[in-house]
Amino acid sequence: METYEDPATWAPEPVRPRWSLALRFVATLLFFPLLCAFWLAVAVVLFVVGLFADAIAAVSEGFERGYMRFMDDTLGGIARLGAWCVTWPELRHEGDVPYYRARVEKVVGNWTRQASAPREPKKARPPVECAIPRRVYRGTGGRYVAEVALAQGWELRPTDVRKEVRLWWSAASRPQDASAADAAADS
């Protein structure tokens, strides 16, 4: 954690009222299937339009980049509509600090296992960067994610802790380890 960042943003989120969560959960049950159907319909329409726009994109690179950016913004905007949704585990475990600690440890442990796996020949390299979403660490705060991640060999990256905590696998930045791992993978 950088010293210039506000320590209050790394603290756990305040516990939300149970009635509010229950109301959001019911709304999620009703709204989320509609949101998924709407997202799918928009994706299909954009895909069909993209087939016809492919002829224009063959002539103009700028059009293709613009259309891809438009697709990302449109589909991402629809996905962000569901940010207020509440899942069943969130409803059940709101304010349960041990549950969120175990959840953070499990997620960081999974990323650590993936990042520390040896490189297999003719396969993609293991991930060296990850983002832990706020939904995972809401009850413990970003500070706990940083503590667990630093203990497992991760480095913090510039991040907005109100959305996610970004991490970098520090073993990937050591040239001697990377070259030894690459040599072992190539042989």
Side-chain angles (χ1 to χ4, degrees), residues 150-172:
L150 291 172
Q152 293 186 21
W154 292 90
E155 296 175 5
L156 287 173
R157 286 290 176 229
T159 185
D160 182 3
V161 77
R162 293 168 299 208
K163 295 179 183 175
E164 64 188 9
V165 173
R166 299 195 58 76
L167 303 169
W168 173 265
W169 182 243
S170 59

Side-chain angles (χ1 to χ4, degrees), residues 5 18 28 30-31 42 44 51 89 122 138 143 157 187:
E5 295 194 36
R18 187 103 175 134
T28 298
L30 299 173
F31 176 73
V42 169
V44 167
L51 290 176
K122 298 184 182 180
R138 178 176 182 78
R143 180 175 305 279
R157 286 290 176 229
S187 58

